[in-house]
Amino acid sequence: MRLEVGSILIKDVQFGDKTEVKNGVLYVNKDEIAKIAGDDDRIKSVEVYLARPGESVRILPVKDVVEPRVKVDGPGGIFPGFMSNVDQVGSGTTHVLKGAAVVTTGKIVGFQEGIIDMKGVGAEYTPFSKTNNVVVKVEPIDSIKQHEHEVVVRMAGLRASNYLGLAGKNVKPDEVKVYETKPLLEQVNQYPNLPKVVYVYMLQTQGLLHNTFYYGVDVRQIVPTFMYPTEVFDGAIISGNCVSACDKNPTYIHCNSPVIEDLYAEHGKTINFLGCVITNENVTLMDKERSSNMTAKLVGFLGADAAIISEEGFGNPDADLVMNCNKIEGQGIKTVLITDEYAGQDGASQSLADSTPLGNACVTAGNANEVVTLPPMDTVIGYPETANVIAGGWEGSLHADGSITAEIQVITSATNELGFGYLTAKGL
């Protein structure tokens, strides 16, 4: 599959009479986007705000972040199974409003939602302090159930993103990148002397507001399968979960997977990138055994010499990470694991809930239990009191002056396990 991704660089976002892109500025018709996002009988109200880098703005609780994209040429459309049909995506031409994002907020759905600060210490932890954000605050009707609440807000965010993406359809991109993965035998023969690498893409699927979707299907219901890497750039994977904000993969990050970007960057140079195996993170031991068995079988069948394995979430999914590692390594295939840590506020506790001596090549995105104090902001979009109940916070996290003391677990993508963040290691 061959996909051209054209990036239209967005330097600012403003409200305007017409939704359009002009000279690097995204103008948004506030009434139109509110109407489109709120096109659901289960929604009581929608409010739209703007939050730009460097402004004294806090958004919480953050549910999802979505990047506006539009299909310009080729089969299917953006966000297949939700915003378009389920034709195969990942080929043709796609335009992206790079530097813009839709952020959804509103009353809390689950306790594992996040915070985005646009300036200050908190902004140093989240990549979404650098994007020009169109914030969609969604309030469903009072009688709505918790799981339905998540669905309503998720779909509102996708509709808003789809609407904004259309503004870039006929705009000439500032940058164009080409990604291509050939059918397996062709791909292997293209670079026969380079090590063959497969990416094992673990997706959060523990249920109860812990779901991820592939072409509109809950990944919990599927067995591991092969995916062309280009599919992610057209939104084939959608976040539908309320796991801890720091290591949740928002839809934006799936569409911009840094693991896939880096593997493509080395493709044909140091490695032969064969493609992705997507797998789930279920709860029961039987489900974990089945999925890890099939994941290892697929990686072996593809003839990989090495595999990158990334996790989403922590605790229970640590077992899936370790099982995938053990079974793939058991076939003589080298692995590199990507995770984060919950090592306690002092950093002295066991970092993962499970471990293996075969996991001897591991990349960490940081310790989510690190404590930070976020200064007060002039504007808060959402509900500041949720700082006392979201994962990583506690009763009293929110102070009278509006500052918040909590673990960086509360900050959206602070320890993202695809590496879409700012934490790094320092040599001593």
Side-chain angles (χ1 to χ4, degrees):
M1 277 196 172
R2 185 181 187 277
L3 178 69
E4 290 187 8
V5 178
S7 293
I8 300 161
L9 304 182
I10 302 300
K11 303 168 187 174
D12 188 18
V13 60
Q14 299 178 20
F15 288 125
D17 294 333
K18 180 182 178 182
T19 296
E20 60 184 341
V21 176
K22 277 188 176 180
N23 301 318
V25 179
L26 172 61
Y27 294 93
V28 181
N29 184 304
K30 187 175 184 180
D31 293 335
E32 280 187 2
I33 193 172
K35 182 178 179 181
I36 288 169
D39 187 18
D40 189 323
D41 291 340
R42 297 168 294 179
I43 291 178
K44 181 166 57 177
S45 68
V46 172
E47 298 174 56
V48 182
Y49 304 85
L50 303 179
R52 306 173 185 88
E55 293 182 335
S56 183
V57 176
R58 171 169 295 145
I59 312 165
L60 85 158
V62 172
K63 298 161 192 320
D64 198 11
V65 184
V66 190
E67 185 176 53
R69 297 181 169 227
V70 63
K71 200 72 187 166
V72 175
D73 178 62
I78 302 299
F79 309 132
F82 289 109
M83 293 291 102
S84 62
N85 57 30
V86 292
D87 287 345
Q88 181 84 43
V89 297
S91 62
T93 303
T94 294
H95 284 182
V96 181
L97 300 189
K98 187 63 64 180
V102 171
V103 178
T104 50
T105 188
K107 290 180 181 175
I108 197 162
V109 180
F111 63 90
Q112 293 177 310
E113 298 178 30
I115 297 173
I116 294 175
D117 279 358
M118 300 305 293
K119 70 176 295 185
V121 107
E124 298 173 9
Y125 285 92
T126 175
F128 303 114
S129 63
K130 307 296 189 295
T131 49
N132 293 284
N133 298 322
V134 179
V135 185
V136 180
K137 182 182 176 186
V138 181
E139 297 302 349
I141 58 176
D142 296 334
S143 60
I144 201 164
K145 301 295 184 183
Q146 197 174 20
H147 69 280
E148 196 177 9
H149 186 167
E150 185 279 320
V151 173
V152 165
V153 177
R154 168 166 31 100
M155 295 304 298
L158 294 180
R159 286 193 297 272
S161 179
N162 217 42
Y163 165 76
L164 293 178
L166 289 170
K169 187 166 187 177
N170 298 313
V171 177
K172 183 180 179 180
D174 297 289
E175 300 173 355
V176 176
K177 286 187 177 181
V178 178
Y179 305 90
E180 186 173 19
T181 298
K182 298 178 181 295
L184 182 61
L185 294 181
E186 289 182 50
Q187 190 61 72
V188 169
N189 290 328
Q190 186 177 25
Y191 303 109
N193 298 320
L194 293 179
K196 300 181 291 296
V197 177
V198 169
Y199 173 33
V200 177
Y201 198 165
M202 292 173 53
L203 302 173
Q204 177 57 250
T205 56
Q206 291 176 273
L208 297 176
L209 304 179
H210 290 56
N211 303 310
T212 304
F213 299 90
Y214 180 58
Y215 284 84
V217 175
D218 187 342
V219 178
R220 182 172 48 141
Q221 300 173 0
I222 72 172
V223 294
T225 189
F226 176 82
M227 180 185 73
Y228 276 98
T230 54
E231 293 176 56
V232 300
F233 300 131
D234 280 342
I237 298 177
I238 296 294
S239 173
N241 67 66
C242 297
V243 298
S244 288
C246 64
D247 54 17
K248 165 185 172 174
N249 293 328
T251 300
Y252 185 109
I253 293 181
H254 285 302
C255 290
N256 289 278
S257 169
V259 178
I260 292 175
E261 285 275 3
D262 288 351
L263 287 169
Y264 267 127
E266 291 302 312
H267 179 59
K269 299 174 183 176
T270 61
I271 63 169
N272 190 346
F273 179 28
L274 301 184
C276 305
V277 172
I278 58 170
T279 185
N280 41 33
E281 299 174 348
N282 288 326
V283 176
T284 70
L285 181 58
M286 180 181 290
D287 288 330
K288 291 178 186 295
E289 290 284 10
R290 179 192 303 111
S291 290
S292 56
N293 285 342
M294 292 187 176
T295 297
K297 178 179 70 175
L298 270 173
V299 173
F301 175 74
L302 293 170
D305 299 306
I308 309 294
I309 310 174
S310 67
E311 181 181 11
E312 183 176 14
F314 73 100
N316 189 292
D318 293 347
D320 300 90
L321 180 71
V322 166
M323 292 168 80
N324 286 326
C325 173
N326 279 334
K327 292 175 183 180
I328 293 171
E329 287 268 357
Q331 300 181 94
I333 301 168
K334 297 297 183 182
T335 64
V336 175
L337 313 182
I338 311 175
T339 182
D340 66 351
E341 304 174 54
Y342 284 75
Q345 294 182 1
D346 60 0
S349 298
Q350 179 175 319
S351 295
L352 301 177
D354 200 358
S355 63
T356 172
L358 296 177
N360 56 9
C362 185
V363 178
T364 175
N367 177 22
N369 297 133
E370 178 187 337
V371 175
V372 66
T373 296
L374 308 177
M377 295 286 137
D378 293 340
T379 301
V380 178
I381 303 172
Y383 296 91
E385 64 274 14
T386 57
N388 293 326
V389 296
I390 57 177
W394 52 82
E395 188 61 41
S397 280
L398 177 64
H399 305 304
D401 66 352
S403 62
I404 296 170
T405 299
E407 296 176 348
I408 62 171
Q409 187 179 353
V410 304
I411 301 174
T412 299
S413 302
T415 62
N416 178 261
E417 292 162 296
L418 299 186
F420 202 86
Y422 296 122
L423 291 181
T424 187
K426 288 184 178 180
L428 298 177

